[in-house]
Amino acid sequence: MGNIILTGDRPTGKLHLGHYIGSLQRRVQLQNEGNYDKMFVFMADVQALTDNADNPEKIRQNIIEVALDYLAAGLDPEKCTIFIQSQIPELSELTTYLMNLVTVSRIQRNPTVKTEIKMRNFEANIPLGFFCYPISQAADIALFKSTTVPVGEDQEPMIEVTREVVRRFNQTYGEVLVEPQILLPENTVCRRLPGTDGKEKMSKSLGNCIYLSDSADEVWQKVRSMFTDPDHLRVDDPGKVEGNAVFTYLDAFSTDNDFANYWPDYKNLDELKDHYRRGGLGDMKCKKFLNTIINNMLEPMRQRRKEFEQDIPEIYNILKKGTDKARETAAQTMDEVRKAMRIDYFNDTELIKQQSERFKNQK
Ligand code: TRP
């Protein structure tokens, strides 16, 4: 069994720095290292609809935004199969069968589902489709026999459910599906990037995002007003770097090279942090440095995005081709699943023969 990488994003908005550092950057690296047999990246529109059922137009309009972000970030349709979740009916089929192998209480205990129910005020009335989305996600992963799922830390409980369901399936029906491994970012600050307001998570609904497609000016406006240390009032005051979003971002994005190139007064981030802690270092200088780093990283993406935006029909071609290719793998796995589950009636000549005999002998 080879190395099969799979991951996806809900198309509810443009992708932001949290997506990039949590997973997208890693996917591009994995893709370019080429150390895999198959790689799939998809837009999880079925999952997005589980809490946007009344707003399908939002999902429809954001498919293209996410596709453009993928291509701009460096995903290459020659090397990785990019597809749209809803166009793979085999996913719904597998979801239906996997639901038989999980209990309601197991999903109720899932920490990610719990947080989302609170966030969306679903407590009194949870849509059933939303409640079942972890199983749908398990089907996404299992259908492609994925071995490696590069995602942020918040997805850990989903991968855990997937592993359990796959184990149950294989015990019940025979070894068909594969237990996946989660691949978290090595740098722990990249696992959950805080928002520009310092809140726990960068998220569209909190309005604290820097988008990959923001202009240089938009990035500066956002970086300039970033949350720092509220007690660092005067430049000479000692400052705190813990919980200071500017320093968390520097942890995530800066390299020693950036210091050599743009701020040679310091050898590395540790030296900068020491100075900030001692006092005598202003927030604005740190923000300017961070702005340079982020904009250097985003500039090539902005340019590539501009180019791809010139030919939207071609982007849909790429998605169509990727979807057709993904369906081939999906169909193969479903053949195996149906056979293992004994629901391959029309392909099972042995079944028909045996039953013919049985009914004949009854006479
Ligand atoms: N739940 C993921 C998110 O919110 C999206 C997703 C759906 C996914 N299916 C997946 C990620 C399968 C990895 C593998 O971002």
Side-chain angles (χ1 to χ4, degrees):
M1 183 50 60
N3 184 17
I4 300 179
I5 303 170
L6 171 136
T7 185
D9 298 281
R10 297 182 189 191
T12 51
K14 298 175 175 194
L15 300 183
H16 53 60
L17 285 183
H19 292 114
Y20 187 69
I21 203 79
S23 169
L24 187 51
Q25 186 183 40
R26 186 67 169 280
R27 295 177 207 170
V28 176
Q29 269 168 15
L30 290 167
Q31 169 198 276
N32 293 337
E33 284 162 12
N35 193 11
Y36 57 86
D37 297 286
K38 288 186 201 159
M39 179 162 176
F40 299 97
V41 176
F42 67 99
M43 286 142 218
D45 60 337
V46 175
Q47 191 173 110
L49 284 164
T50 65
D51 62 342
N52 287 282
D54 52 357
N55 198 358
E57 193 56 28
K58 173 170 134 191
I59 312 303
R60 183 179 171 82
Q61 295 304 331
N62 278 306
I63 293 276
I64 193 73
E65 298 288 354
V66 173
L68 286 165
D69 285 332
Y70 281 170
L71 296 168
L75 288 183
D76 175 355
E78 296 293 318
K79 298 182 185 154
C80 100
T81 305
I82 306 176
F83 68 91
I84 304 179
Q85 187 184 30
S86 61
Q87 306 307 300
I88 313 282
E90 288 84 355
L91 280 172
S92 311
E93 193 181 350
L94 184 57
T95 303
T96 303
Y97 298 133
L98 295 185
M99 280 200 283
N100 298 335
L101 305 174
V102 190
T103 62
V104 169
S105 65
R106 186 67 193 83
I107 303 298
Q108 272 167 340
R109 286 200 305 271
N110 184 303
T112 303
V113 173
K114 268 190 184 163
T115 318
E116 286 178 333
I117 287 174
K118 270 209 202 99
M119 247 170 62
R120 290 166 176 65
N121 289 321
F122 278 164
E123 275 112 332
N125 246 322
I126 308 174
L128 194 52
F130 172 83
F131 187 75
C132 295
Y133 96 73
I135 310 307
S136 155
Q137 183 158 344
D140 299 338
I141 298 169
L143 185 62
F144 296 93
K145 300 195 181 181
S146 323
T147 52
T148 309
V149 186
V151 282
E153 193 176 51
D154 59 322
Q155 296 298 305
E156 220 162 1
M158 299 298 158
I159 310 301
E160 208 33 62
V161 171
T162 306
R163 293 170 58 82
E164 270 177 40
V165 174
V166 164
R167 240 177 280 142
R168 273 299 292 281
F169 184 99
N170 288 345
Q171 275 163 12
T172 313
Y173 305 115
E175 289 283 329
V176 172
L177 305 179
V178 177
E179 269 186 62
Q181 302 286 337
I182 190 168
L183 188 65
L184 291 168
E186 276 152 21
N187 183 346
T188 51
V189 293
C190 299
R191 292 180 183 180
R192 189 176 307 219
L193 194 73
T196 50
D197 54 0
K199 289 212 179 105
E200 194 189 349
K201 197 178 165 183
M202 184 174 278
S203 138
K204 190 168 163 270
S205 46
L206 298 172
N208 59 11
C209 301
I210 295 176
Y211 294 99
L212 301 183
S213 50
D214 277 349
S215 69
D217 196 50
E218 284 168 317
V219 170
W220 172 236
Q221 296 310 322
K222 291 177 182 180
V223 170
R224 199 174 61 171
S225 55
M226 261 176 87
F227 179 83
T228 58
D229 169 6
D231 299 323
H232 187 236
L233 297 175
R234 275 170 302 248
V235 171
D236 288 338
D237 291 340
K240 251 189 22 218
V241 302
E242 289 74 26
N244 181 327
V246 170
F247 280 91
T248 310
Y249 283 29
L250 287 173
D251 271 324
F253 297 105
S254 75
T255 62
D256 292 356
N257 258 341
D258 291 323
F259 282 94
N261 290 334
Y262 307 110
W263 211 355
D265 298 354
Y266 306 92
K267 250 210 320 279
N268 53 37
L269 186 55
D270 286 335
E271 279 192 6
L272 184 74
K273 284 181 178 173
D274 282 345
H275 191 180
Y276 192 82
R277 287 195 184 100
R278 277 200 310 274
L281 176 59
D283 283 344
M284 219 20 115
K285 280 188 179 171
C286 302
K287 287 178 172 177
K288 281 190 179 144
F289 179 56
L290 177 63
N291 179 59
T292 303
I293 293 171
I294 294 179
N295 271 323
N296 279 345
M297 181 177 79
L298 295 185
E299 187 50 33
M301 291 189 225
R302 276 184 210 121
Q303 285 181 9
R304 272 199 298 267
R305 200 182 209 273
K306 274 264 144 358
E307 284 168 32
F308 285 115
E309 283 171 356
Q310 303 313 306
D311 194 356
I312 295 300
E314 176 54 19
I315 311 296
Y316 278 99
N317 263 337
I318 291 173
L319 297 179
K320 172 79 169 60
K321 266 200 223 148
T323 301
D324 290 345
K325 197 162 160 212
R327 271 202 84 180
E328 285 170 23
T329 304
Q332 258 169 35
T333 308
M334 276 320 293
D335 277 347
E336 293 171 44
V337 163
R338 290 190 211 103
K339 185 157 186 249
M341 290 184 69
R342 324 277 298 144
I343 52 174
D344 59 334
Y345 313 107
F346 302 138
N347 294 335
D348 190 349
T349 45
E350 205 42 40
L351 169 79
I352 301 172
K353 211 168 92 194
Q354 274 170 13
Q355 291 185 345
S356 304
E357 298 295 315
R358 176 152 68 84
F359 284 101
K360 249 182 238 153
N361 293 340
Q362 270 175 13
K363 275 199 286 189

